[in-house]
Amino acid sequence: DAKTTQPNSMESNEEEPVHLPCNHSTISGTDYIHWYRQLPSQGPEYVIHGLTSNVNNRMASLAIAEDRKSSTLILHRATLRDAAVYYCILNPGTYKYIFGTGTRLKVLA
Amino acid sequence: DAGVTQSPTHLIKTRGQHVTLRCSPISGHKSVSWYQQVLGQGPQFIFQYYEKEERGRGNFPDRFSARQFPNYSSELNVNALLLGDSALYLCASSTGQAPRVDTQYFGPGTRLTVL
């Protein structure tokens, strides 16, 4: 199973953009990159996913490197409600998600 | 629309006992997955069911079993509980029709404490 590597923690000021990196050097050509986040005392929630092209939705943007060995989740304006653990997951086409330890994002008021 | 529901919310058991956790998926979803999340770690995959058939199994002992019912709800059973089984058990549902791009919707989890 392909693995991902993320920083353990990051901090951001409120209203500023946040770039959360993820390395996945063993990604295969058909693996989709999914991002989920887990707010305190809740189950994970979907954020965004992509294959090769950059993706945008109302929650965030996903920038995927040309060689697909890394990706970056971009929160354009962090709010206190964005404080959570963010997980980068490679989806090979099964529901067997392999979660790492994720990045704990702290947002400072 | 109701999200994924799990019951009970919290549970306390003693070593050696058996436990059954329940999950109701989002209406129209035919796939249910179970995850175990130990404090401080990411969720670990246990099982996935689609249309009442087991589609995937993680690296868990045979003490863990699950099943899916005709209405797509699911049960996770754990026998001979160990202290190390203390964790948050998460259920996730999805349509099951496009695994590469499907979104998994997670429930709030059941917090199991084994004493």
Side-chain angles (χ1 to χ4, degrees):
Chain A
D1 296 322
K3 292 187 177 180
T4 60
T5 304
Q6 301 176 252
N8 287 334
S9 62
M10 292 184 66
E11 280 189 2
S12 172
N13 293 319
E14 200 176 8
E15 302 295 317
E16 290 187 355
V18 183
H19 291 232
L20 299 167
C22 180
N23 287 318
H24 29 78
S25 58
T26 59
I27 190 170
S28 71
T30 54
D31 287 348
Y32 273 78
I33 302 160
H34 286 236
W35 283 80
Y36 281 73
R37 71 180 185 181
Q38 189 170 21
L39 280 64
S41 302
Q42 294 187 26
E45 67 172 349
Y46 169 81
V47 178
I48 200 166
H49 74 271
L51 182 62
T52 56
S53 304
N54 295 343
V55 184
N56 300 297
N57 67 20
R58 64 174 182 82
M59 287 183 70
S61 296
L62 177 59
I64 301 172
E66 197 169 332
D67 64 5
R68 299 205 335 120
K69 293 186 176 183
S70 66
S71 60
T72 301
L73 179 70
I74 303 164
L75 306 180
H76 296 287
R77 291 178 65 194
T79 70
L80 296 177
R81 289 173 298 196
D82 291 322
V85 178
Y86 286 78
Y87 296 101
C88 168
I89 300 162
L90 299 183
N91 182 4
T94 72
Y95 291 100
K96 185 181 177 182
Y97 284 4
I98 308 296
F99 285 82
T101 51
T103 296
R104 183 172 299 277
L105 176 65
K106 185 175 181 180
V107 181
L108 306 174
Chain B
D1 286 341
V4 177
T5 59
Q6 293 186 244
S7 62
T9 305
H10 296 86
L11 203 52
I12 298 175
K13 293 285 190 178
T14 56
R15 282 176 295 176
Q17 285 189 314
H18 161 271
V19 69
T20 298
L21 311 180
R22 295 177 175 83
C23 171
S24 291
I26 291 172
S27 177
H29 284 188
K30 298 181 179 180
S31 176
V32 169
S33 298
W34 287 96
Y35 291 80
Q36 180 197 65
Q37 187 173 25
V38 174
L39 200 61
Q41 297 182 19
Q44 271 199 292
F45 173 80
I46 309 176
F47 286 110
Q48 189 237 335
Y49 278 78
Y50 176 68
E51 290 275 21
K52 302 181 290 295
E53 296 289 327
E54 182 184 302
R55 279 268 183 97
R57 173 184 284 254
N59 188 23
F60 279 81
D62 291 342
R63 299 185 295 108
F64 288 77
S65 64
R67 56 179 175 167
Q68 187 176 32
F69 299 99
N71 66 353
Y72 304 111
S73 67
S74 177
E75 281 183 356
L76 175 70
N77 295 284
V78 187
N79 292 323
L81 285 167
L82 304 174
L83 296 179
D85 295 331
S86 295
L88 180 68
Y89 288 85
L90 295 161
C91 171
S93 81
S94 57
T95 65
Q97 294 170 356
R100 290 192 191 279
V101 297
D102 244 357
T103 296
Q104 288 206 70
Y105 294 87
F106 286 81
T110 293
R111 172 72 61 189
L112 172 65
T113 302
V114 182
L115 302 176

